[in-house]
């Protein structure tokens, strides 16, 4: 597995692969890899000749009071995991390379960025869209693989690629969970065993909502309230939001008459967790 730290070297290598007819699949990450990231790699391998993974903790998507400084990082562990899973090239840029001196160009995906996490993390999706646009131009992928774990992010990136005529297919894969139902996340490293148990309520609330929907309940308010009640049991978890939205536009829904998504963000002690599932 090659490691490329420079954006310029990464881009010339990508252009060479393209010129020789190779298909490139791209898996962007912030590192501290887990099985969820590695499933994206498996899919990338099925879809292309060369798999590039980036590991870059992007400062512009973190708010001033968020966890940028303490986000878990372990490059040697990540490199071993990526290589074992068949990643061909690890792109590990630093911020001076991604954001050239004097940088002032940002990408904003308007409506999709406004609700849900956009309310509580102002500027987050602007940072995400900006870095992914830059990474796409550097890595030149034919296909990029993202997780539904970050569902709003996936929709923002798909919209950006469409609106800006980027020649890349943006694929979303279902959330990978622990056997317990806990959605895998690099940030689970912040959780104690007791907090992990509390976090199981997220997956249970999604299953409950899915059961109600399958049973014929169409009233979004009823399903959302039962989900919130489950989350609130015991009082150890604070709901930031629990919303059922149109799976494509992320607009609020009153009736389940089209593909929908339950999207959750909660705090357990000071630790923020997100999860979502289809309805
Ligand atoms: P991150 O390193 O957290 O920025 O995530 C990098 C990519 O992995 C994003 O596309 C995420 O949606 C995806 N991802 C993170 N956790 C999971 C998971 N549990 N299942 C599937 N994909 C995931």
């Amino acid at each position: 597995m090659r490691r490329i730290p420079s954006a310029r070297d990464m881009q010339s290598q990508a252009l060479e692969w393209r010129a020789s007819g190779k298909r490139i699949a791209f898996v962007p990450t912030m590192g501290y890899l887990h099985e969820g990231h590695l499933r994206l790699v498996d899919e990338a391998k099925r879809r292309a000749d060369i798999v590039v993974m980036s590991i870059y903790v992007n400062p512009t998507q973190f708010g001033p009071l968020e966890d940028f400084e303490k986000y878990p990082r372990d490059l040697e562990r990540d490199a071993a995991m990526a290589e074992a899973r068949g990643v061909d090239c690890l792109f590990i840029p630093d911020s001076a390379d991604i954001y050239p001196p004097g940088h002032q160009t940002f990408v904003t995906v308007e409506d999709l960025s406004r609700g849900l996490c956009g309310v509580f993390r102002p500027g987050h999706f602007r940072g995400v869209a900006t870095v992914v646009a830059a990474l796409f131009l550097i890595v030149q992928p034919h296909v990029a693989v993202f997780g539904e774990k970050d569902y709003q992010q996936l929709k923002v990136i798909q919209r950006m690629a469409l609106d800006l005529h980027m020649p890349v297919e943006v694929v979303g894969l279902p959330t990978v969970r622990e056997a317990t139902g806990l959605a895998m996340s690099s940030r689970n490293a912040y959780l104690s065993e007791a907090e992990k148990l509390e976090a199981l309520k997220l997956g249970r609330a999604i299953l409950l909502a899915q059961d109600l929907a399958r049973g014929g309940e169409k009233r979004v308010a009823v399903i959302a309230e039962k989900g919130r009640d489950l989350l609130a049991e015991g009082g150890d978890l604070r709901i930031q939001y629990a919303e059922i939205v149109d799976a494509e536009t992320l607009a609020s829904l009153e009736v389940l008459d089209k593909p929908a998504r339950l999207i959750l963000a909660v705090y357990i002690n000071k630790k923020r967790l997100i999860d979502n599932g289809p309805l």
Side-chain angles (χ1 to χ4, degrees), residues 178-199:
E178 309 276 1
T180 58
L182 178 63
M184 291 188 185
S185 166
S186 307
R187 288 187 169 102
N188 289 351
Y190 300 151
L191 302 177
S192 69
E193 287 311 308
E195 288 166 338
K196 277 189 189 156
L197 277 180
E198 187 63 22

Side-chain angles (χ1 to χ4, degrees), residues 28-30 34 36-37 40 71 146-147 149-150 153 174-176 184:
T29 82
M30 299 203 299
H34 52 67
H37 297 114
L40 307 185
Y71 195 85
F146 289 79
K149 164 74 172 37
D150 302 280
Q153 167 176 281
T175 301
V176 178
M184 291 188 185

Side-chain angles (χ1 to χ4, degrees), residues 217-279:
E217 180 57 75
K218 297 262 177 246
R219 293 166 299 174
V220 160
V222 171
I223 301 176
E225 190 182 329
K226 293 206 164 135
R228 285 193 200 104
D229 286 348
L230 188 156
L231 292 171
E233 263 167 38
D236 292 324
L237 175 161
R238 183 168 76 72
I239 300 171
Q240 188 176 59
Y241 67 81
E243 286 188 41
I244 294 171
V245 295
D246 182 308
E248 282 310 308
T249 65
L250 306 184
S252 298
L253 279 182
E254 289 190 2
V255 181
L256 281 188
D257 56 359
K258 53 177 78 142
R261 206 91 195 173
L262 171 61
I263 308 196
L264 307 172
V266 307
Y267 276 97
I268 296 175
N269 297 324
K270 293 234 150 69
K271 297 145 196 181
R272 185 175 182 274
L273 301 177
I274 57 171
D275 202 347
N276 70 88
L279 294 181

